[in-house]
Amino acid sequence: GYSPSLTPFPSPLPCCKNCFHLGMAFTLQERQILGIHGLLPPKVETQDTQAMRFQNNLKKMTDPLEKYIYLMGIQERNERLFYRVLMEDIEELMPIVYTPTVGLACTQYGHIFRRPKGLFISIRDRGHVRSILDNWPESNVAVIVVTDGERILGLGDLGVYGMGIPVGKLCLYTACAGIRPERCLPVVIDVGTDNETLLHDPLYMGLYQKRDRSQAYDDLIDEFMEAVVEKYGQDTLIQFEDFGNHNAFRFLRKYREKYCTFNDDIQGTASVALAGLLAAQRAVGKPITEHRVLFLGAGEAALGIANLIVMAMTESGVSQDEAQNKIWMYDKYGLLVKVNANQEAFVHDSPGDVQSFLDAVNTIKPTAIIGVAGAGRLFTHDVIKAMGTLNERPIIFALSNPTNKAECTAEDAYKLTDGRCLFASGSPFGPVTLSDGRVLTPGQGNNAYIFPGVALAVIVSGVRHISDTVFLEAAKTLAEQLTDKELAEGRLYPPLSNIREVSVQMAVKVMEYVYAKGMAFRYPEPLDKNGFVRATVWNTQYDSFLPDTYDWPGVNFSPKTKSE
Ligand SMILES: *[C@@H]1O[C@H](CO)[C@@H](O)[C@H](O)[C@H]1NC(C)=O
């Protein structure tokens, strides 16, 4: 498990006296061996019964933060039960374990704290990072999610309170893609915080100092990267999460060729958006190369998505220039147009007088608009209606988070286009009933459709460098998994409840791709990749918890289900 205070796995004994890993599911025999007989009520419970109790308790709670605390407690006490319940009700519980509730939990981390999870490395530990890693009880780590807490979701600088993010994100690696929890390591790098509230909070848990932005900070991150590779190997996947924007890009550029790393906010977001577009194009019936895309927002998210769209278009045969010419961007200063000869990719000759985003829509006549500005409801009724006039099936993506920052609501998008538009959002919107009685389910472009499946493929194939084409491949396989029936319901992504299967199938496809392209380093290459991936994924049944062989005189544990 995550918590260093628990007995590390694999251990000859699944548990110590005072921690109840399996709780009442321990058999009589196990209770006797462990010396806990009598410390539990006499009944031996099945996991089904335990799950029922857990779910009943959750249902009674109305406060999301209360649910979060309860869930995290179960994760500490009985990890398999936790993941089982999480997976069974992923649609309901993902917003608790991850955004938005995890954000709230982070802001109050020191106040709701029960016991530590993850690894804390501070700037005072410079020169000793490796020995801190050696204190972590697991020796077979495959994925690390690391943050320095500077830009936690949309909440700002939370310092070490940001630990909730790597913990929550890694829960999704396990729940969505079956990556074994003991192979996941959440890390917070503490270089101080500029948040005055925290610097005056007696319950704060990090260094009481302003952020160190000197060379020492870069040296610490360098040392961390080197120590990780030294201890866990070259193909350890290191995901940077919620660093300040400036550092996120700097580190991605600095490390992406040298380490196995990616940035979910940039690459994962781009991949899930492209998948939505590829799914939408199935309904529109026009190839991707015939689309014209207008972005609202021209920041990193827009550039990431646009670059991946260009890759998809060039793969379908158009030149890079031609592809770039089909993509426009509009930001708070207006439409991006050329003012001199040498300008970037998505800056074009002015198409005429454009005073507003509505003008831009009417002039450029896009088939798709994609909102990533994070500035609220800027897809006005007029904009949506214009898209509906210009296109039989307009594509409208309001990807900004959280819900109140989305560029428009699902209801507006559907109702103002008579249910013709193909809509996706970053935050979830419920189904919309139209006046003719049709019910449409909007797509949620959740990154969790992408990163767990990609990570699983990367881990099992020994990929050392994750190229952008991997995210293109992931987007294609996600779009392919949407059934025609789901598409007809308005969906652009498979239901979240199906995410385990989606991730496994994505991993298989990505695995085929990386082996074909010579990006995989694990040999011999598994011939039956589907079987290989499925045999790898972790499951939540208790029997697989027990060690393969166990030398306890006269004791015969049931054999372990071999899972990795
Ligand atoms: C500072 O921390 C508090 C408490 O965690 C949080 O609510 C707030 O959003 C943070 N403010 C900034 C500016 O980062």
Side-chain angles (χ1 to χ4, degrees):
Y2 294 154
S3 169
S5 58
L6 297 183
T7 316
F9 184 94
S11 116
L13 286 174
C15 193
C16 61
K17 276 198 183 182
N18 47 12
C19 86
F20 290 176
H21 261 126
L22 307 190
M24 284 175 60
F26 279 123
T27 62
L28 181 58
Q29 192 179 37
E30 288 163 343
R31 293 177 191 203
Q32 284 168 339
I33 295 163
L34 295 169
I36 57 172
H37 185 50
L39 305 187
L40 294 165
K43 179 177 158 208
V44 174
E45 265 181 354
T46 60
Q47 195 184 55
D48 294 352
T49 311
Q50 293 178 306
M52 191 203 301
R53 179 180 301 114
F54 186 176
Q55 280 152 343
N56 287 347
N57 286 338
L58 270 175
K59 267 192 218 103
K60 280 185 224 137
M61 298 175 187
T62 46
D63 176 21
L65 191 60
E66 190 188 355
K67 288 188 189 188
Y68 176 86
I69 295 169
Y70 181 61
L71 277 161
M72 289 295 125
I74 303 281
Q75 187 195 21
E76 285 154 19
R77 294 198 296 279
N78 188 338
E79 200 166 50
R80 284 180 192 252
L81 180 60
F82 165 76
Y83 279 111
R84 170 182 168 161
V85 172
L86 178 57
M87 281 159 58
E88 271 178 7
D89 200 6
I90 192 90
E91 260 176 304
E92 198 64 34
L93 297 181
M94 196 187 283
I96 306 284
V97 169
Y98 205 64
T99 164
T101 305
V102 73
L104 186 61
C106 284
T107 61
Q108 300 176 33
Y109 186 82
H111 302 244
I112 62 171
F113 182 81
R114 299 293 193 274
R115 68 200 291 183
K117 289 180 188 175
L119 196 66
F120 299 84
I121 298 172
S122 96
I123 193 131
R124 302 224 183 115
D125 300 322
R126 235 159 19 110
H128 306 282
V129 173
R130 174 57 205 263
S131 64
I132 292 178
L133 280 181
D134 285 340
N135 288 341
W136 185 252
E138 310 291 348
S139 56
N140 195 18
V141 167
V143 197
I144 291 174
V145 175
V146 58
T147 186
D148 72 353
E150 185 171 1
R151 205 226 53 190
I152 295 300
L153 305 173
L155 303 165
D157 184 349
L158 301 187
V160 292
Y161 278 7
M163 180 53 106
I165 297 296
V167 168
K169 195 103 191 187
L170 285 165
C171 284
L172 302 187
Y173 276 87
T174 302
C176 303
I179 297 171
R180 304 184 71 91
E182 68 272 15
R183 303 203 69 191
C184 300
L185 171 58
V187 177
V188 154
I189 307 264
D190 182 12
V191 297
T193 176
D194 291 344
N195 187 323
E196 289 298 333
T197 314
L198 298 179
L199 290 173
H200 291 100
D201 175 357
L203 297 180
Y204 183 59
M205 297 177 151
L207 298 176
Y208 284 94
Q209 65 171 55
K210 292 270 186 188
R211 274 185 186 276
D212 190 320
R213 299 184 186 279
S214 71
Q215 184 60 35
Y217 169 64
D218 282 34
D219 292 348
L220 181 68
I221 306 284
D222 274 343
E223 188 189 337
F224 169 71
M225 300 297 279
E226 283 160 25
V228 163
V229 166
E230 199 183 281
K231 180 163 170 88
Y232 295 118
Q234 271 189 322
D235 50 7
T236 316
L237 176 57
I238 307 172
Q239 191 207 316
F240 283 72
E241 183 80 20
D242 289 1
F243 279 68
N245 248 336
H246 166 69
N247 289 328
F249 273 87
R250 213 162 52 86
F251 290 141
L252 183 61
R253 271 197 302 276
K254 180 170 173 184
Y255 295 128
R256 65 176 303 167
E257 304 296 332
K258 286 198 211 132
Y259 293 93
C260 180
T261 181
F262 75 101
N263 185 308
D264 185 51
D265 303 323
I266 302 166
Q267 294 162 293
T269 303
S271 188
V272 79
L274 176 63
L277 213 52
L278 294 175
Q281 122 198 312
R282 268 171 56 188
V284 179
K286 259 203 276 190
I288 182 102
T289 49
E290 283 174 35
H291 283 269
R292 224 170 11 259
V293 183
L294 173 60
F295 281 88
L296 180 64
E300 288 79 19
L303 282 173
I305 300 169
N307 282 324
L308 212 56
I309 296 175
V310 168
M311 280 173 71
M313 285 183 171
T314 51
E315 214 186 47
S316 305
V318 305
S319 74
Q320 176 138 340
D321 274 356
E322 233 178 297
Q324 286 172 350
N325 281 333
K326 293 171 188 293
I327 298 174
W328 292 77
M329 292 190 183
Y330 188 102
D331 70 5
K332 59 184 170 212
Y333 305 108
L335 194 66
L336 266 62
V337 293
K338 276 188 183 156
V339 283
N340 57 36
N342 49 357
Q343 286 251 13
E344 306 89 51
F346 305 107
V347 178
H348 308 306
D349 288 326
S350 167
D353 188 26
V354 171
Q355 298 294 337
S356 65
F357 189 68
L358 180 61
D359 285 352
V361 168
N362 283 323
T363 311
I364 293 160
K365 302 186 174 28
T367 57
I369 51 176
I370 301 181
V372 281
R377 304 271 189 263
L378 294 174
F379 292 170
T380 58
H381 288 193
D382 289 340
V383 165
I384 298 170
K385 282 188 206 147
M387 283 300 287
T389 311
L390 290 164
N391 300 286
E392 179 51 36
R393 302 292 314 263
I395 298 172
I396 299 178
F397 286 4
L399 298 182
S400 292
N401 287 321
T403 315
N404 63 4
K405 296 256 179 76
E407 281 71 14
C408 65
T409 62
E411 183 159 7
D412 280 351
Y414 287 134
K415 291 202 166 155
L416 297 169
T417 59
D418 319 308
R420 285 179 291 123
C421 85
L422 295 148
F423 177 82
S425 56
S427 301
F429 282 102
V432 174
T433 308
L434 299 176
S435 49
D436 61 10
R438 272 188 303 154
V439 178
L440 293 173
T441 308
Q444 189 203 349
N446 190 323
N447 291 16
Y449 282 118
I450 299 288
F451 67 79
V454 168
L456 179 58
V458 163
I459 291 169
V460 298
S461 325
V463 170
R464 292 192 188 152
H465 165 70
I466 310 173
S467 111
D468 277 334
T469 58
V470 166
F471 288 95
L472 176 58
E473 205 57 29
K476 287 194 278 186
T477 67
L478 179 54
E480 280 164 14
Q481 289 190 58
L482 185 76
T483 63
D484 289 334
K485 179 170 170 285
E486 287 159 356
L487 190 58
E489 291 164 1
R491 294 179 190 275
L492 296 177
Y493 302 98
L496 259 187
S497 54
N498 200 18
I499 196 157
R500 185 46 115 48
E501 183 57 24
V502 167
S503 303
V504 166
Q505 290 194 28
M506 178 182 294
V508 173
K509 287 284 175 58
V510 170
M511 204 179 165
E512 282 163 3
Y513 177 80
V514 291
Y515 272 102
K517 297 288 170 184
M519 297 174 186
F521 286 88
R522 176 150 304 153
Y523 285 98
E525 175 181 346
L527 293 179
D528 172 14
K529 298 190 176 55
N530 185 41
F532 186 80
V533 168
R534 284 178 199 278
T536 301
V537 295
W538 186 70
N539 67 63
T540 56
Q541 283 155 25
Y542 288 145
D543 57 355
S544 59
F545 188 89
L546 296 174
D548 253 342
T549 53
Y550 179 57
D551 272 340
W552 192 286
V555 174
N556 187 13
F557 271 126
S558 54
K560 178 184 172 186
T561 313
K562 191 93 182 108
S563 51
E564 198 175 350

